[in-house]
């Protein structure tokens, strides 16, 4: 991956908007869980389907593991959200976000024949919004913007060649 | 990270750098403000509703550990239910324990083994067993000796005596209390015999098979002072305890109609149980099975599927209506209805049975301005639940409890108009293991509805039958009253008999409160 891809002002603006929007989504998902004391990933994990379902239901069946998954998920979401919005440790946050999305996708793959307790708000066939958000983070990984607009610019210095 | 290699590119910071570096910080403020507004609104709505209802939030407390003297139990009947009751007491056959252990190895979500091994020790011993079928009798002996809850290779306790008749078992000085899990036609005579011998009784439902013996059973239990518990384990269901609280706090307003149902659709649910390969006239004491029932020649179908014949059974009324009725009686103290009218027939299982497989019974409680509708089918599993319909709110009772305000409620009219109460969202919901809440999120509602939320209860699943038997044993030790005592049992039996009599006579039957008689 190359840090030195020159980006036009408009290109950078749209990439930053995309980064902040995804960050907003992660941060809000995280905060809602952090502030809801009765939140538990139990129902979500138990509703897992597909090839990896046993892995996720196993996570749900051990109270300690479940507690750890809950903690990592909530604070992971919050930190990734902060990273993306503020543009701080942007690439780390982007990579971590992609990893979380892989877990979500594998636990609830939108494959034909799999039905979930919670109906989805749209119609999905292999590609769902989790997958698209994953791809969008992939784009942000190869077009990093933290050092253009973001705290990374103050921490690591701006990338002059990009603007 | 690549960034570490780029330190040399960091020039002196300009004002422009600072502005661009911090450009997105205000976004955080927007998220925080939005979240704060949303939380305050949610909090305000929840507070407004919970103040209005006054319902408790926590789970019912788990009863303290059973302590005190050891109680010596005699098991009468070791068929399907007898084995379940033994398990609830902490005893299972070594082969059964092994089966659960292997199943748990194959499927991590199979908790039967772990649950059984970790179930509380009730401080009892099974000292006597009795079953008219030799194979079950021997299994009962081996089960009773399995005091360490082990598989076939594990250490066993002292061998336990199997008695040829229930009378000998009850008379044994080795027995303090009996657990009766026999066909319905034996419940009454055995309870009477045990009570008169001063033995405490846990009896499966229904209390009796005939109306006449119901008075005698009550008399015998009351006179002897033994501790009696009828096997309606629903008395221990958390959601029912919460439902009772809702009634006590008048959350529902005037209640005029309650609908309860049975929805089964498989041979097992229709009492067509397997016939054991070892069963024959040589291994079954047929005369003792018949007992007070009309004589019939030896029949394996009748022995294993006795619930299908009035000769030994009380049909849907006694077997399944009683659970529904007792749940309602537990929550609303309705007592014996003023009248009952039943219709139905044998519409699906035309296998020679005499009891109906579709039954509808309507009970009237004019003093309470209430109708109770029971409707049962053994050929559809469409889950119709238990619905208690009040003028101000209605509730659905099951493993979970959900209460919705009625859109035309008088009491909640103001809050509905202000948008604080939304009739399409629960004003109260209780999910075991998750506690109570007002306004459950749509997600949680879906999960709860599919039974996905109560795999655990406080980190551990508890069997209601275990709790119900524990309550009985604790009552024996402490002289307290169990929740489904002989008076609740009397109400349960008479209500079920009214339903059955109406079905037989094809007319409405009445309860005369003064004489305590059913008028046909």
């Amino acid at each position: 991956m190359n840090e030195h891809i020159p980006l036009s002002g408009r290109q950078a603006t749209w990439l930053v908007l995309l980064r902040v929007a995804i960050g907003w989504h992660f941060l809000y998902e995280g905060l809602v869980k952090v502030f809801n004391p009765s939140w538990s990933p139990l129902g979500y994990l138990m509703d897992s389907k597909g090839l990896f379902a046993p892995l996720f239901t196993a996570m749900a069946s051990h109270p300690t593991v479940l507690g750890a998954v809950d903690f990592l998920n909530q604070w992971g979401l919050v930190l990734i959200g902060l990273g993306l919005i503020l543009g701080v440790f942007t690439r780390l946050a982007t990579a971590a976000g992609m990893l979380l999305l892989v877990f979500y996708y594998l636990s609830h793959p939108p494959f034909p024949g799999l039905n979930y307790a919670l109906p989805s708000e749209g119609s999905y066939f292999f590609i769902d919004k989790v997958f698209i958000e994953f791809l969008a983070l992939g784009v942000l990984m190869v077009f990093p913007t933290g050092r253009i607009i973001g705290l990374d610019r103050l921490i690591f210095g701006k990338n002059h060649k990009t603007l | 990270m690549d960034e570490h290699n780029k330190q040399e590119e960091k020039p002196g910071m300009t004002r422009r750098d600072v502005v661009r570096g911090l450009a997105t910080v205000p976004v955080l403020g927007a998220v925080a403000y939005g979240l704060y507004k949303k939380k305050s609104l949610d909090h305000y709505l929840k507070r407004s509703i919970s103040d209005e209802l006054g319902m408790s939030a926590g789970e019912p407390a788990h009863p303290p550990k059973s302590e005190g003297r050891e109680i010596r139990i005699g098991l009468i009947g070791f068929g399907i239910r007898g084995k379940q009751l033994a398990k609830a007491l902490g005893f299972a056959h070594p082969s059964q324990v092994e089966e659960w252990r292997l199943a748990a190895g194959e499927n991590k979500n199979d908790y039967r083994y772990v649950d059984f091994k970790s179930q509380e020790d009730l401080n009892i011993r099974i000292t006597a067993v009795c079953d008219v079928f030799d194979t079950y009798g021997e299994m009962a002996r081996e089960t009773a000796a399995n005091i360490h809850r082990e598989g076939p290779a594990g250490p066993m306790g002292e061998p336990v005596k199997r008695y040829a008749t229930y009378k000998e078992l009850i008379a044994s000085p080795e027995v303090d209390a009996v657990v009766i899990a026999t066909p319905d036609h034996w419940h009454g005579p055995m309870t009477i015999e045990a009570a008169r011998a001063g033995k405490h009784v846990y009896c499966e439902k229904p209390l009796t098979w005939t109306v006449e013996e119901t008075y005698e059973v009550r008399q015998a239990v009351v006179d002897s002072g033994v501790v009696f518990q009828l096997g309606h384990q629903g008395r221990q269901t958390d959601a029912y305890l919460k439902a009772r609280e809702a009634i006590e706090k008048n959350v529902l307003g005037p209640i005029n109609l309650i609908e309860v149902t049975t929805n089964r659709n498989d041979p097992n649910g229709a009492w067509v149980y397997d016939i054991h390969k070892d069963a024959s006239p040589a291994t079954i004491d047929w005369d003792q099975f018949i007992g007070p029932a009309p004589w019939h020649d030896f029949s394996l179908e009748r022995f294993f599927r006795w619930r299908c014949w009035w000769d030994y059974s009380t049909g849907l009324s006694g077997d399944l209506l009683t659970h529904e009725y007792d749940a309602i009686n537990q929550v609303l103290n309705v007592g014996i209805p003023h009248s009952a009218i039943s219709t139905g027939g044998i519409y699906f299982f035309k296998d020679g049975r005499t009891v109906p497989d579709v039954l509808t019974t309507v009970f009237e409680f004019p003093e309470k301005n209430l109708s109770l509708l029971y409707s049962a089918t053994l050929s559809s599993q469409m889950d119709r639940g238990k619905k208690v319909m009040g003028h101000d709110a209605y509730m659905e009772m099951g493993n979970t409890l959900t209460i919705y305000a009625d859109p035309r409620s008088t009491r909640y009219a103001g809050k509905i108009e202000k948008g604080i109460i939304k009739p399409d969202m629960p004003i109260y919901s209780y999910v075991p293991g998750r506690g109570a809440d007002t306004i459950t999120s749509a997600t949680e509602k879906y999960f709860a509805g599919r039974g996905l939320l109560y795999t655990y209860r406080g980190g551990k699943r508890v069997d209601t039958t275990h709790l119900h038997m524990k309550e009985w044993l604790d009552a024996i030790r402490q002289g307290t009253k169990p929740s489904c005592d002989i008076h609740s049992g009397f109400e349960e039996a008479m209500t079920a008999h009214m339903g059955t009599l109406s079905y037989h006579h094809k007319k409405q039957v009445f309860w005369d409160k003064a004489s305590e008689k059913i008028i046909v």
Side-chain angles (χ1 to χ4, degrees):
Chain A
M1 271 168 268
N2 191 344
E3 287 269 321
H4 303 276
I5 301 162
L7 291 175
S8 73
R10 278 197 302 179
Q11 286 169 334
T13 305
W14 281 101
L15 286 170
V16 170
L17 284 176
L18 180 62
R19 194 190 81 206
V20 170
I22 295 176
W24 181 299
H25 181 211
F26 271 77
L27 178 62
Y28 191 73
E29 281 280 16
L31 289 178
V32 159
K33 292 169 180 64
V34 170
F35 284 114
N36 179 359
S38 66
W39 165 260
S40 161
L42 177 64
Y44 183 82
L45 291 172
M46 292 300 289
D47 195 27
S48 295
K49 299 278 155 60
L51 194 60
F52 295 92
L55 172 71
F56 295 104
T57 48
M59 286 180 186
S61 56
H62 300 282
T64 352
V65 179
L66 185 69
V69 166
D70 191 20
F71 180 85
L72 289 175
N73 183 52
Q74 293 183 15
W75 289 102
L77 285 166
V78 169
L79 292 177
I80 293 165
L82 287 175
L84 292 174
I85 292 176
L86 295 175
V88 60
F89 303 113
T90 319
R91 300 191 65 184
L92 180 63
T94 309
M98 290 175 79
L99 182 69
L100 260 189
L101 290 170
V102 166
F103 279 121
Y104 298 155
Y105 185 82
L106 292 181
S107 73
H108 285 59
F111 295 173
L114 300 182
N115 294 305
Y116 298 95
L118 186 67
S120 64
E121 87 290 8
S123 308
Y124 302 116
F125 183 65
F126 294 106
I127 307 295
D128 61 3
K129 289 179 188 169
V130 172
F131 193 83
I132 293 167
E133 198 167 27
F134 171 82
L135 294 181
L137 283 180
V139 170
L140 294 175
M141 197 73 184
V142 295
F143 293 103
T145 52
R147 294 170 68 176
I148 302 169
I149 302 284
L151 289 175
D152 281 345
R153 182 181 181 118
L154 303 180
I155 298 171
F156 303 111
K158 77 172 169 190
N159 194 341
H160 357 237
K161 292 183 186 167
T162 58
L163 264 181
Chain B
M1 299 293 297
D2 288 351
E3 279 90 337
H4 294 292
N5 305 325
K6 309 284 190 224
Q7 292 294 330
E8 72 282 1
E9 288 179 18
K10 192 172 177 179
M13 233 174 265
T14 62
R15 190 162 163 267
R16 186 189 164 98
D17 287 334
V18 175
V19 170
R20 295 206 166 180
L22 300 176
T24 53
V25 173
V27 175
L28 278 192
V31 177
Y33 180 74
L35 190 72
Y36 169 75
K37 290 301 277 184
K38 186 180 178 299
K39 292 302 288 183
S40 336
L41 178 65
D42 286 354
H43 184 70
Y44 167 72
L45 293 177
K46 283 194 182 200
R47 267 304 288 274
S48 307
I49 297 174
S50 59
D51 287 354
E52 168 82 49
L53 304 184
M55 292 282 290
S56 66
E59 280 179 30
H62 195 278
K65 195 172 169 359
S66 291
E67 280 169 314
R69 70 187 164 90
E70 184 183 71
I71 296 172
R72 298 167 306 167
I73 307 275
L75 296 184
I76 308 176
F78 203 67
I80 296 172
R81 191 59 185 157
K83 292 180 184 74
Q84 292 169 349
L85 294 182
K87 178 194 167 203
L89 287 171
F91 293 82
H93 193 265
S95 64
Q96 178 71 78
V97 177
E98 183 67 2
E99 193 187 312
W100 289 332
R101 194 180 67 81
L102 293 174
E106 279 172 22
N107 177 4
K108 286 204 172 72
N109 296 318
D110 191 329
Y111 297 105
R112 289 175 299 177
Y113 181 70
V114 179
D115 286 350
F116 177 65
K117 291 290 270 190
S118 62
Q119 183 178 282
E120 185 195 324
D121 184 341
L122 294 176
N123 191 23
I124 55 160
R125 222 161 18 113
I126 297 176
T127 49
V129 299
C130 170
D131 195 287
V132 295
F133 175 32
D134 288 341
T135 304
Y136 286 175
E138 287 309 306
M139 276 181 90
R141 282 187 69 215
E142 288 156 13
T143 300
N146 190 7
I147 53 175
H148 303 297
R149 306 187 190 181
E150 291 287 348
M156 295 293 141
E158 293 287 302
V160 172
K161 186 168 178 192
R162 177 184 168 206
Y163 290 82
T165 68
Y166 76 91
K167 287 196 179 204
E168 291 166 78
L169 180 145
I170 287 170
S172 165
E174 299 282 295
V175 170
D176 303 316
V178 296
V179 172
I180 301 171
T182 58
D184 298 352
H185 67 301
W186 271 116
H187 290 178
M190 286 173 175
T191 302
I192 293 166
E193 179 89 12
R196 287 185 181 153
K199 307 294 166 88
H200 306 289
V201 178
Y202 182 100
C203 183
E204 261 312 312
K205 47 85 208 173
L207 180 67
T208 55
W209 178 57
T210 68
V211 175
E212 294 69 33
E213 66 187 355
T214 313
Y215 304 101
E216 212 184 325
V217 170
R218 181 178 64 176
Q219 197 65 47
V221 170
V222 169
D223 288 352
S224 66
V226 298
V227 176
F228 177 88
Q229 174 93 302
L230 188 63
H232 285 299
Q233 67 275 8
R235 292 263 169 181
Q236 312 299 330
T237 303
D238 322 11
Y240 296 179
L241 303 175
K242 289 288 176 186
R244 187 178 167 94
E245 189 188 333
I247 298 300
E248 281 164 358
K249 296 191 168 148
N250 198 27
V251 168
L252 272 61
I255 297 162
N256 308 117
L257 180 62
I258 298 173
E259 218 177 274
V260 291
T261 60
T262 292
N263 314 286
R264 290 182 168 187
N265 193 17
D266 67 317
N268 196 61
W271 316 307
V272 185
Y273 303 128
D274 292 340
I275 290 171
H276 199 284
K277 60 176 172 44
D278 298 341
S280 75
T283 55
I284 291 171
D285 182 348
W286 182 252
D287 288 11
Q288 204 186 162
F289 168 76
I290 290 286
W295 178 256
H296 192 282
D297 288 340
F298 183 83
S299 156
L300 287 173
E301 281 78 18
R302 284 178 172 246
F303 183 75
F304 286 101
R305 301 167 182 171
W306 55 265
R307 283 198 172 94
C308 300
W309 286 273
W310 292 119
D311 287 353
Y312 330 100
S313 164
T314 47
L316 278 166
S317 272
D319 194 46
L320 296 169
L321 156 66
T322 50
H323 273 316
E324 303 296 319
Y325 164 79
D326 189 68
I328 298 303
N329 199 24
Q330 169 188 0
V331 172
L332 286 124
N333 290 330
V334 289
I336 300 173
H338 170 69
S339 70
I341 184 157
S342 300
T343 62
I346 304 165
Y347 296 145
F348 188 83
F349 286 93
K350 296 183 185 290
D351 53 5
R353 68 179 60 200
T354 54
V355 301
D357 55 11
V358 170
L359 180 74
T360 300
T361 305
V362 185
F363 298 104
E364 300 298 335
F365 300 85
E367 284 173 14
K368 296 189 174 283
N369 295 307
L370 175 68
S371 284
L372 169 63
L373 168 66
Y374 171 70
S375 142
T377 170
L378 299 182
S379 57
S380 169
Q381 209 172 293
M382 177 183 168
D383 184 13
R384 296 170 296 163
K386 280 188 250 312
K387 300 185 183 79
V388 180
M389 290 162 254
H391 166 68
D392 291 316
Y394 59 93
M395 67 180 178
E396 290 196 58
M397 288 165 60
N399 282 329
T400 61
L401 177 74
T402 318
I403 305 177
Y404 292 87
D406 189 284
R408 302 283 177 218
S409 154
T410 308
R411 173 173 168 181
Y412 304 121
K415 287 201 162 63
I416 291 174
E417 201 179 330
K418 284 186 198 144
I420 293 170
I421 289 179
K422 297 179 184 69
D424 58 343
M425 294 294 279
I427 49 173
Y428 182 87
S429 79
Y430 177 80
V431 178
R434 302 296 309 281
D437 203 356
T438 54
I439 323 180
T440 324
S441 75
T443 321
E444 300 227 331
K445 241 167 64 185
Y446 275 110
F447 288 141
R450 301 295 180 98
L452 287 167
L453 283 183
Y454 31 91
T455 317
Y456 296 104
R457 195 166 135 190
K460 192 181 164 194
R461 292 192 302 186
V462 185
D463 174 15
T464 48
T465 305
H466 167 73
L467 289 176
H468 202 49
M469 300 191 91
K470 173 180 163 61
E471 186 190 75
W472 170 62
L473 293 165
D474 291 346
I476 294 172
R477 292 191 182 102
Q478 294 153 15
T480 49
K481 192 176 94 64
S483 57
C484 200
D485 68 357
I486 190 63
H487 301 289
S488 297
F490 184 84
E491 292 173 348
E492 175 255 36
M494 286 305 183
T495 304
H497 291 317
M498 285 172 71
T500 303
L501 284 170
S502 170
Y503 176 80
H504 284 315
H505 291 273
K506 300 191 188 314
K507 61 189 268 212
Q508 194 170 23
V509 302
F510 296 89
W511 176 249
D512 182 48
K513 216 172 176 178
S515 65
E516 290 199 308
K517 291 244 162 16
I518 298 174
I519 315 291
V520 178

